Amino acid sequence: MNSGPNPAEPPARAIGPLRRFLRLIVEVDESRIWLHRVRAALLLIGLLVAFGLLGYWLPELLERALR
């Protein structure tokens, strides 16, 4: 019987979008499985394309809406 205090487990860390993005970058660079590298690289390219399109089309749509 152990009458001492129970060891506390560390709280689970929330995974936000920035942390997931950084994990993708690390996975592309350090994953041992080539399929994981390819998947992470394609996701990163897709994110960059999405941000690029959003950065181009959103101001264009706002400008047209405000005319």
Side-chain angles (χ1 to χ4, degrees), residues 1-28:
M1 291 188 154
N2 188 359
S3 61
N6 293 335
E9 293 182 16
R13 294 171 64 179
I15 298 177
L18 179 61
R19 184 167 171 89
R20 281 184 283 213
F21 180 72
L22 293 174
R23 287 180 73 187
L24 277 177
I25 293 172
V26 170
E27 192 171 347
V28 169

Side-chain angles (χ1 to χ4, degrees), residues 2-57:
N2 188 359
S3 61
N6 293 335
E9 293 182 16
R13 294 171 64 179
I15 298 177
L18 179 61
R19 184 167 171 89
R20 281 184 283 213
F21 180 72
L22 293 174
R23 287 180 73 187
L24 277 177
I25 293 172
V26 170
E27 192 171 347
V28 169
D29 188 39
E30 295 184 358
S31 180
R32 292 183 181 181
I33 301 172
W34 68 271
L35 189 60
H36 290 198
R37 284 185 177 200
V38 171
R39 180 186 62 92
L42 290 174
L43 284 171
L44 280 173
I45 291 169
L47 282 171
L48 290 173
V49 168
F51 280 123
L53 291 175
L54 185 67
Y56 176 77
W57 290 107

